[in-house]
Each structure stands twice: as structure tokens, then as C-alpha cells.
Amino acid sequence: MARPAPGQGCPGGAPRAPRVVVVGSGFAGLRLLRALERLLPPEAAELTVISPVDHLPYASLMPQVCASSVEPRHLAVATRRALRRTVLRLGHAVDVDPQARTVTVQGNDGTVDQLGWDRLVLAPGSVTSTFDVPGVRDHAIGLKNLNQAVYLRDHVLRQLELADAAHDVGERRALCTFVVVGGGYTGTELAAQMTRFTRRAVANYPRVRAEDIRWALVDHSSRLLHELAAPLGRRAGEVLAARGVEVRLRTAVTEVGERFVRMRGADDGGGAERTIDTRTVVWCAGVAPSPLMATIGLPTSHGRLVVDEYFRVAGVAGLFALGDAAAVPDLTRGGEPAGQTAQHAVRQATVAARNLAASLGHGNARPYRHHDLGFVVDLGGRDAVANPLGLTLHGLPAVVATRAYHVYALNNGSNRARVLSDWALDLVAPHQIVQLGFARGPRPTIASAEETGIYPTARPQPAAARLLT
């Protein structure tokens, strides 16, 4: 039997409650739904979330999964436990038809279905941006989800295992060389924490010495953590240097191969390229909006769906967007698009939930205004840098502030307790240097790990829309 259209009831029956469909269960989507469940009485709306996973992966602690400081499942905030009356549809939203008011869902089992909506909220997040650098899509490893984090940990240990068995000195050196591209939060944390992890792990491999381990961090900017105050970036650079990380700034990667990475630095004379023999390139050089945004045929700005300060998409009643995939104007910065950070996503979610509830007759809408609370960067051990509320911290005070923020942001009692126990054990118990089997077989590409190839060809945008991209 065909299901009633949105807003309609069964023949002869009462009208059905409006259907609110949310795409994405990440920082923005899950927080928005939790707020909607508080703001709307049960009879006011039928809530549905479309997501390929049944949890929110707390991405801010991914580097600690790679470094065995935190168990991956402890960063998975269960969607079904967090939401009381929202229906979960496991799968990807691969297409949106604003005129027909439908969203096409490709289920995890391969089935394809269409779902009607009265209100649609697009919060699908972002994917790894490869900038069309040759070889990145095929040979680099991304770090956008828990699968990639666990794979990277296994892969690094696999390289140490192979290096321990290698007879050729050059081969052993290449296997023990790891290159991280991107000097932002993720890349800096990963290089800092994985250097500690691998130098401690070599005790398990008799033929690999600590001095054989080589980590390099590459970024095109003139300083690390360019989003933060310069003193914090310098302090992070000092920590990396003390741990032996080679920091190559003002350097662009030109090609990634299966057994090498090529780069060109501003300080290299004559524009000469340098080649590093390595089997591991981790790509943390930025994010791009979900490919779903390009399929809709509505105005975008650098791939992000254009919305107003109330998260509304112009010309389509009932369509909202927020998070990394939306160009939400930040009124505190003259209307420039808000940054693609978790802090923006969770704070946008609270305001967007209020505005959506207001569109259903519950409460009043308000514009989004962001007041920066600062950022935290955990470098592992007793090192971190942070600027909470404008204060410049490093060392142990920054570690306390950083971990307190993460515990607060997890927003789930069970996950908080488990992560705290992981940190406590990390202080007193040695790491378990074992592979879980994720590094067997062909290396997963960034596209396959993040499932970016499932979306249809982008719809043409109107001329006015193309001017924004």
C-alpha cells in the first residue's frame, strides 16, 4: 500500500503530523534532533533521520584512536539511545527533489526508496578534500571516520612489522617513514600523537630502532594551526620538533604514489621537487561539503548550500541546511560563511532546531550568531595548546582544558565515562601493540572509505547560483 503523502492522513482519517526529515547524524544532525524532541510535543511532528551509521562518530578524538589512547567504540554516540522517538533510516540520502518534496534514500542493503517530507534539514557534513592532487584519491589515507582511524592504526603497525622483517636498509627506512599532509587541528594532533605511539611501539620489533621512525608534517601555510593565535602554533611546532617530527611549511604536495610522495616548497631553489620514499601518506589537508549538495540544483558557495541566517534555503519552503555542508552566514563576522568546525555545527543545531520548531508553530525563530569559545589541540602526553575564552594555554593547563572540553562535548554519560577510563588506563598501562586485521587486502581509497561515489551527476544550477561557486 502506498504511504500517505506528507501532511495527509489515511483516507477518511485525521491529517497525519508533518514529517520532519533530517539528513545526517553527525554533530549538527544529532544535536538538532535532540533539541527538536525537547521543543516539539510528540503529536507535533514525525521525526526521521537518514544516516549510513547508527551513531555519531566523535571525530575530534580520531587521532587518539590511531594512537591507541581511546577505544573507537567509545567515540560512537549511539543514535538510538540518544533519541527517544526519532525513526532511524540506515542509508545515504543520494538525491533531493525540492519540487516533489522527496529525498531518495539508498539503504545500506542496496535498496532505493523515496521519502516525502514537510520539513527537510540537510546536515550531511563533509568529506575529505583532495584538491585534485595526482594520486591522493588512490594512495593516500583519510581520517574522516572511525573505519579510517582503525585502519590507519593497523596500517602503521603493519609497516613496523614489515620493516622488522625487511633485509634492505632502504626498504626498512621507507616503511618507517610516515607523512601527514595538513597542519591544521587533525594533522598536527595526529603527527604529535602518532610519533609518541610509534616510538614506544618499536620495543616490540627487535630489528626496528626508535631512530628509524620518521614522521613528517607538510602544510602549504607559513605556520602550524593558522586558525589559532601565532604563539599557539609556535608552541605546537616546538612540541613536534622535540619529538623529532619534520615540519615542512610553505610546502605543497604535488603527487602521491604507492611508494612515494612528491612536494615542492617555497624555500626550494628553482622550484625543484623533493621526493620522499614512503608507504604511508595521511591526508588531513581539508574538507569539502558532502557531494549531496551538488545534486540538488540550488545555489551553492564553494560547494556549500546557500542559506540565510535562519538556515532557510531561499525559494524552497521547509528546506533548511546547516553544518559543514551549508554556507551559514555568521552575523558576528559581517555575514561571512561560518567555519566548518564541530563548534559551529553543534551551536547551529540548537538555533536551527528552534527555527524549525517555530516553522511548525512552536516558539519563535532567531538568527544564528556565533561567539567564539576558543579551540583546543591535544598533542598527547602532557602537551596541548588551547585558547579557551581568549586565554592562551599550553602544557598541563592546556591538557586539562582540552580534555574537559572533549568530555563536555561528548554529551553522553556512557561515552564520557568510557573515554575517561581510557585516558586513565593510558597513564598506567602499556599500549596493546596488536593488529586487528583492518590492514589486510587492498588499501581502501578515500572515496571508498567515505562512500563518495554513490551520488548521481550534479544537477545544473541556475546562472545566479553558478556565480556563487
Side-chain angles (χ1 to χ4, degrees), residues 43 79 81 90 221 248 310 315 324 354 375 456:
E43 68 277 5
T79 303
R81 184 167 183 173
L90 283 174
S221 179
R248 296 175 178 264
Y310 296 90
D324 287 354
R354 177 172 177 166
F375 293 92

Side-chain angles (χ1 to χ4, degrees), residues 201-235:
V202 294
N204 294 267
Y205 304 94
R207 299 181 62 195
V208 179
R209 301 170 300 170
E211 52 267 32
D212 292 330
I213 304 297
R214 178 188 181 192
W215 282 86
L217 179 60
V218 180
D219 192 87
H220 65 85
S221 179
S222 59
R223 62 185 179 90
L224 293 178
L225 301 173
H226 56 84
E227 305 94 334
L228 301 183
L232 295 180
R234 287 197 295 271
R235 174 58 184 170

Side-chain angles (χ1 to χ4, degrees), residues 273-335:
E273 288 188 329
R274 296 187 182 187
T275 299
I276 296 179
D277 292 330
T278 179
R279 308 296 181 262
T280 309
V281 176
V282 190
W283 196 261
C284 305
V287 297
S290 166
L292 175 65
M293 299 297 101
T295 71
I296 303 174
L298 294 173
T300 59
S301 174
H302 301 286
R304 303 166 73 183
L305 196 62
V306 174
V307 299
D308 64 13
E309 65 271 25
Y310 296 90
F311 308 98
R312 300 173 303 198
V313 178
V316 185
L319 180 58
F320 301 79
L322 68 156
D324 287 354
V328 180
D330 186 348
L331 299 183
T332 64
R333 299 195 310 159

